[in-house]
Amino acid sequence: MEKHVHQFSYEVYDSAEALALADAELLKKARLVTSDAYAPYSRFRVGAAARLENGQVVTGTNQENASFPAGICAERVLMSAASSFYPGIPIDTLAISYFNEQGPSENPISPCGICRQSLQEFEQRAGRPIRLILGGQQGTVYIIPQASSLLPLAFTADELE
Ligand code: THU
């Protein structure tokens, strides 16, 4: 028997003011676009903004539906937009924020399981890591160097070969 340990490290900042300028700008964009979310059911508006390797910025927001499972998270809306408008261009950094209509938006949220799966494959296709910046409308910010580190032992395209 062997024991394998999976670990990852991430950075914790007190607020966006402590970030490098480019990172602070991307998080600001993610915070702003929460107003584009369509979230009448959860009232939890998620905004995502990514800087691509070519410097372009792409955004995404959660888009819900009366048939609840048909709703899509901000992260996957963003990845679809990036792949459609800039096919083949890797994502360098992805900021995720939210606005909770029913309470404070002060702590970072991190991507749901389905989004982790999609982020993992986006990284694999692009052959480079996606940095994540996670933060609410204010307060603590996390920077995670590689999105796929949130999904240890992922089921990947390699398994299908
Ligand atoms: N949601 C996202 O868009 N991204 C996440 O990382 C977590 C959850 C959305 C899905 C749903 O529209 C609402 O937030 C509440 O779960």
Side-chain angles (χ1 to χ4, degrees), residues 110-143:
S110 68
C112 80
I114 298 175
C115 289
R116 290 176 194 211
Q117 182 73 26
S118 295
L119 286 162
Q120 189 282 330
E121 191 150 330
F122 198 105
E123 274 191 352
Q124 192 175 29
R125 280 173 73 197
R128 57 160 295 178
I130 298 174
R131 281 175 79 236
L132 296 180
I133 303 173
L134 310 177
Q137 293 294 323
Q138 64 233 349
T140 309
V141 177
Y142 296 163
I143 295 191

Short mmCIF file of all heavy atoms in Angstrom, two decimals, residues 110-143:
data_model
loop_
_atom_site.label_atom_id
_atom_site.label_comp_id
_atom_site.label_asym_id
_atom_site.label_seq_id
_atom_site.Cartn_x
_atom_site.Cartn_y
_atom_site.Cartn_z
N SER A 110 -15.96 29.55 -4.89
CA SER A 110 -15.14 28.84 -5.87
C SER A 110 -16.05 28.01 -6.77
O SER A 110 -17.19 27.70 -6.41
CB SER A 110 -14.05 28.03 -5.19
OG SER A 110 -14.57 26.99 -4.47
N PRO A 111 -15.55 27.67 -7.96
CA PRO A 111 -16.40 27.06 -8.99
C PRO A 111 -17.04 25.76 -8.52
O PRO A 111 -16.44 24.99 -7.77
CB PRO A 111 -15.41 26.77 -10.13
CG PRO A 111 -14.24 27.65 -9.89
CD PRO A 111 -14.17 27.87 -8.41
N CYS A 112 -18.27 25.52 -8.99
CA CYS A 112 -18.98 24.28 -8.67
C CYS A 112 -18.29 23.08 -9.33
O CYS A 112 -17.39 23.25 -10.17
CB CYS A 112 -20.44 24.37 -9.12
SG CYS A 112 -20.69 24.07 -10.88
N GLY A 113 -18.72 21.91 -8.98
CA GLY A 113 -18.09 20.69 -9.50
C GLY A 113 -18.12 20.57 -11.01
O GLY A 113 -17.12 20.19 -11.64
N ILE A 114 -19.27 20.90 -11.62
CA ILE A 114 -19.37 20.79 -13.08
C ILE A 114 -18.40 21.77 -13.74
O ILE A 114 -17.72 21.43 -14.72
CB ILE A 114 -20.81 21.03 -13.57
CG1 ILE A 114 -21.76 19.98 -13.00
CG2 ILE A 114 -20.89 21.01 -15.09
CD1 ILE A 114 -23.23 20.21 -13.32
N CYS A 115 -18.34 22.98 -13.19
CA CYS A 115 -17.41 23.98 -13.76
C CYS A 115 -15.96 23.54 -13.57
O CYS A 115 -15.13 23.77 -14.45
CB CYS A 115 -17.66 25.35 -13.15
SG CYS A 115 -19.22 26.07 -13.71
N ARG A 116 -15.65 22.91 -12.46
CA ARG A 116 -14.28 22.41 -12.26
C ARG A 116 -13.93 21.41 -13.35
O ARG A 116 -12.82 21.40 -13.88
CB ARG A 116 -14.14 21.76 -10.88
CG ARG A 116 -14.21 22.77 -9.77
CD ARG A 116 -14.16 22.14 -8.38
NE ARG A 116 -14.56 23.16 -7.42
CZ ARG A 116 -14.14 23.24 -6.17
NH1 ARG A 116 -13.30 22.34 -5.70
NH2 ARG A 116 -14.55 24.21 -5.39
N GLN A 117 -14.88 20.55 -13.66
CA GLN A 117 -14.66 19.56 -14.73
C GLN A 117 -14.40 20.26 -16.06
O GLN A 117 -13.49 19.89 -16.82
CB GLN A 117 -15.90 18.66 -14.82
CG GLN A 117 -15.81 17.53 -15.83
CD GLN A 117 -14.88 16.41 -15.41
OE1 GLN A 117 -14.65 16.17 -14.22
NE2 GLN A 117 -14.32 15.71 -16.38
N SER A 118 -15.20 21.28 -16.37
CA SER A 118 -15.05 22.00 -17.64
C SER A 118 -13.75 22.81 -17.67
O SER A 118 -13.08 22.88 -18.70
CB SER A 118 -16.24 22.94 -17.87
OG SER A 118 -17.41 22.19 -18.01
N LEU A 119 -13.40 23.41 -16.53
CA LEU A 119 -12.15 24.17 -16.46
C LEU A 119 -10.95 23.25 -16.67
O LEU A 119 -9.99 23.61 -17.36
CB LEU A 119 -12.03 24.88 -15.09
CG LEU A 119 -12.94 26.10 -14.90
CD1 LEU A 119 -13.08 26.43 -13.42
CD2 LEU A 119 -12.39 27.30 -15.66
N GLN A 120 -11.04 22.07 -16.07
CA GLN A 120 -9.95 21.10 -16.21
C GLN A 120 -9.71 20.78 -17.69
O GLN A 120 -8.57 20.77 -18.16
CB GLN A 120 -10.30 19.83 -15.42
CG GLN A 120 -9.19 18.81 -15.29
CD GLN A 120 -8.99 17.97 -16.54
OE1 GLN A 120 -9.93 17.73 -17.29
NE2 GLN A 120 -7.76 17.55 -16.78
N GLU A 121 -10.80 20.55 -18.43
CA GLU A 121 -10.62 20.18 -19.83
C GLU A 121 -10.19 21.37 -20.69
O GLU A 121 -9.44 21.21 -21.65
CB GLU A 121 -11.91 19.53 -20.38
CG GLU A 121 -11.70 18.89 -21.74
CD GLU A 121 -12.59 17.69 -21.98
OE1 GLU A 121 -12.97 16.99 -21.03
OE2 GLU A 121 -12.91 17.46 -23.17
N PHE A 122 -10.66 22.56 -20.33
CA PHE A 122 -10.21 23.76 -21.05
C PHE A 122 -8.70 23.90 -20.91
O PHE A 122 -7.99 24.15 -21.88
CB PHE A 122 -10.93 25.01 -20.51
CG PHE A 122 -10.88 26.19 -21.44
CD1 PHE A 122 -11.99 26.57 -22.18
CD2 PHE A 122 -9.71 26.93 -21.60
CE1 PHE A 122 -11.94 27.66 -23.05
CE2 PHE A 122 -9.65 28.03 -22.46
CZ PHE A 122 -10.77 28.39 -23.19
N GLU A 123 -8.22 23.71 -19.68
CA GLU A 123 -6.77 23.77 -19.43
C GLU A 123 -6.03 22.72 -20.23
O GLU A 123 -5.00 22.98 -20.84
CB GLU A 123 -6.47 23.50 -17.94
CG GLU A 123 -6.55 24.69 -17.05
CD GLU A 123 -5.99 24.39 -15.65
OE1 GLU A 123 -5.67 23.22 -15.34
OE2 GLU A 123 -5.90 25.35 -14.87
N GLN A 124 -6.57 21.51 -20.20
CA GLN A 124 -5.89 20.39 -20.88
C GLN A 124 -5.79 20.66 -22.38
O GLN A 124 -4.75 20.45 -22.99
CB GLN A 124 -6.65 19.09 -20.60
CG GLN A 124 -5.86 17.86 -21.01
CD GLN A 124 -6.57 16.56 -20.63
OE1 GLN A 124 -7.79 16.51 -20.55
NE2 GLN A 124 -5.80 15.52 -20.39
N ARG A 125 -6.90 21.15 -22.97
CA ARG A 125 -6.90 21.46 -24.41
C ARG A 125 -5.89 22.55 -24.73
O ARG A 125 -5.20 22.51 -25.73
CB ARG A 125 -8.28 21.97 -24.84
CG ARG A 125 -9.30 20.91 -25.07
CD ARG A 125 -10.65 21.55 -25.31
NE ARG A 125 -10.76 22.20 -26.61
CZ ARG A 125 -11.70 23.08 -26.93
NH1 ARG A 125 -12.60 23.46 -26.04
NH2 ARG A 125 -11.76 23.60 -28.13
N ALA A 126 -5.86 23.57 -23.87
CA ALA A 126 -5.00 24.73 -24.13
C ALA A 126 -3.53 24.42 -23.81
O ALA A 126 -2.63 25.10 -24.28
CB ALA A 126 -5.47 25.91 -23.30
N GLY A 127 -3.32 23.39 -22.97
CA GLY A 127 -1.95 23.03 -22.59
C GLY A 127 -1.31 24.03 -21.65
O GLY A 127 -0.09 24.12 -21.58
N ARG A 128 -2.15 24.79 -20.94
CA ARG A 128 -1.58 25.71 -19.94
C ARG A 128 -2.58 25.99 -18.83
O ARG A 128 -3.80 25.91 -19.04
CB ARG A 128 -1.07 27.00 -20.58
CG ARG A 128 -2.05 27.80 -21.36
CD ARG A 128 -1.58 29.22 -21.52
NE ARG A 128 -1.52 29.89 -20.21
CZ ARG A 128 -1.11 31.12 -20.01
NH1 ARG A 128 -0.69 31.83 -21.03
NH2 ARG A 128 -1.13 31.67 -18.81
N PRO A 129 -2.08 26.31 -17.64
CA PRO A 129 -2.97 26.49 -16.50
C PRO A 129 -3.80 27.76 -16.58
O PRO A 129 -3.39 28.75 -17.19
CB PRO A 129 -2.03 26.56 -15.29
CG PRO A 129 -0.70 26.93 -15.84
CD PRO A 129 -0.66 26.43 -17.26
N ILE A 130 -4.98 27.73 -15.96
CA ILE A 130 -5.82 28.92 -15.81
C ILE A 130 -5.66 29.39 -14.37
O ILE A 130 -5.99 28.66 -13.43
CB ILE A 130 -7.30 28.60 -16.09
CG1 ILE A 130 -7.49 28.10 -17.53
CG2 ILE A 130 -8.17 29.82 -15.81
CD1 ILE A 130 -8.92 27.62 -17.83
N ARG A 131 -5.16 30.61 -14.18
CA ARG A 131 -5.11 31.20 -12.83
C ARG A 131 -6.50 31.65 -12.45
O ARG A 131 -7.20 32.25 -13.27
CB ARG A 131 -4.22 32.45 -12.81
CG ARG A 131 -2.75 32.23 -12.78
CD ARG A 131 -2.03 33.57 -12.87
NE ARG A 131 -1.98 34.33 -11.64
CZ ARG A 131 -2.42 35.57 -11.49
NH1 ARG A 131 -2.99 36.22 -12.49
NH2 ARG A 131 -2.30 36.20 -10.34
N LEU A 132 -6.90 31.41 -11.22
CA LEU A 132 -8.20 31.87 -10.74
C LEU A 132 -8.04 32.98 -9.71
O LEU A 132 -7.19 32.87 -8.81
CB LEU A 132 -8.97 30.71 -10.08
CG LEU A 132 -9.37 29.52 -10.94
CD1 LEU A 132 -10.12 28.51 -10.07
CD2 LEU A 132 -10.22 29.94 -12.13
N ILE A 133 -8.87 34.01 -9.85
CA ILE A 133 -8.96 35.06 -8.82
C ILE A 133 -10.38 34.99 -8.29
O ILE A 133 -11.34 35.14 -9.06
CB ILE A 133 -8.71 36.46 -9.42
CG1 ILE A 133 -7.35 36.53 -10.11
CG2 ILE A 133 -8.82 37.53 -8.33
CD1 ILE A 133 -7.12 37.83 -10.87
N LEU A 134 -10.54 34.73 -7.01
CA LEU A 134 -11.87 34.53 -6.42
C LEU A 134 -12.13 35.59 -5.35
O LEU A 134 -11.32 35.74 -4.42
CB LEU A 134 -11.96 33.14 -5.78
CG LEU A 134 -11.52 31.95 -6.64
CD1 LEU A 134 -11.61 30.65 -5.83
CD2 LEU A 134 -12.36 31.85 -7.91
N GLY A 135 -13.24 36.30 -5.48
CA GLY A 135 -13.55 37.31 -4.48
C GLY A 135 -14.98 37.80 -4.60
O GLY A 135 -15.56 37.78 -5.68
N GLY A 136 -15.54 38.23 -3.49
CA GLY A 136 -16.88 38.83 -3.50
C GLY A 136 -16.81 40.27 -3.98
O GLY A 136 -15.84 40.68 -4.62
N GLN A 137 -17.84 41.05 -3.65
CA GLN A 137 -17.84 42.46 -4.04
C GLN A 137 -16.81 43.24 -3.22
O GLN A 137 -16.38 44.31 -3.61
CB GLN A 137 -19.24 43.07 -3.85
CG GLN A 137 -20.28 42.51 -4.80
CD GLN A 137 -19.99 42.86 -6.26
OE1 GLN A 137 -19.54 43.95 -6.57
NE2 GLN A 137 -20.28 41.93 -7.16
N GLN A 138 -16.47 42.69 -2.08
CA GLN A 138 -15.38 43.26 -1.27
C GLN A 138 -14.78 42.13 -0.44
O GLN A 138 -15.25 41.00 -0.51
CB GLN A 138 -15.89 44.38 -0.37
CG GLN A 138 -16.89 43.95 0.68
CD GLN A 138 -18.16 44.79 0.62
OE1 GLN A 138 -18.20 45.79 -0.05
NE2 GLN A 138 -19.18 44.36 1.32
N GLY A 139 -13.74 42.47 0.30
CA GLY A 139 -13.19 41.49 1.24
C GLY A 139 -12.12 40.59 0.65
O GLY A 139 -11.53 40.88 -0.40
N THR A 140 -11.91 39.46 1.33
CA THR A 140 -10.83 38.52 1.03
C THR A 140 -10.82 38.06 -0.42
O THR A 140 -11.87 37.80 -1.01
CB THR A 140 -11.00 37.28 1.94
OG1 THR A 140 -11.15 37.72 3.29
CG2 THR A 140 -9.81 36.35 1.85
N VAL A 141 -9.61 37.93 -0.96
CA VAL A 141 -9.44 37.44 -2.34
C VAL A 141 -8.47 36.26 -2.32
O VAL A 141 -7.44 36.31 -1.64
CB VAL A 141 -8.87 38.56 -3.24
CG1 VAL A 141 -8.63 38.04 -4.66
CG2 VAL A 141 -9.81 39.77 -3.27
N TYR A 142 -8.83 35.21 -3.05
CA TYR A 142 -7.92 34.07 -3.23
C TYR A 142 -7.37 34.10 -4.65
O TYR A 142 -8.11 34.39 -5.60
CB TYR A 142 -8.65 32.73 -3.08
CG TYR A 142 -9.25 32.42 -1.74
CD1 TYR A 142 -10.21 31.41 -1.63
CD2 TYR A 142 -8.86 33.08 -0.58
CE1 TYR A 142 -10.79 31.09 -0.41
CE2 TYR A 142 -9.42 32.76 0.65
CZ TYR A 142 -10.39 31.77 0.73
OH TYR A 142 -10.97 31.45 1.93
N ILE A 143 -6.11 33.73 -4.77
CA ILE A 143 -5.55 33.46 -6.10
C ILE A 143 -5.07 32.02 -6.13
O ILE A 143 -4.24 31.61 -5.31
CB ILE A 143 -4.42 34.43 -6.48
CG1 ILE A 143 -4.97 35.86 -6.59
CG2 ILE A 143 -3.77 34.01 -7.81
CD1 ILE A 143 -4.03 36.87 -7.20
#
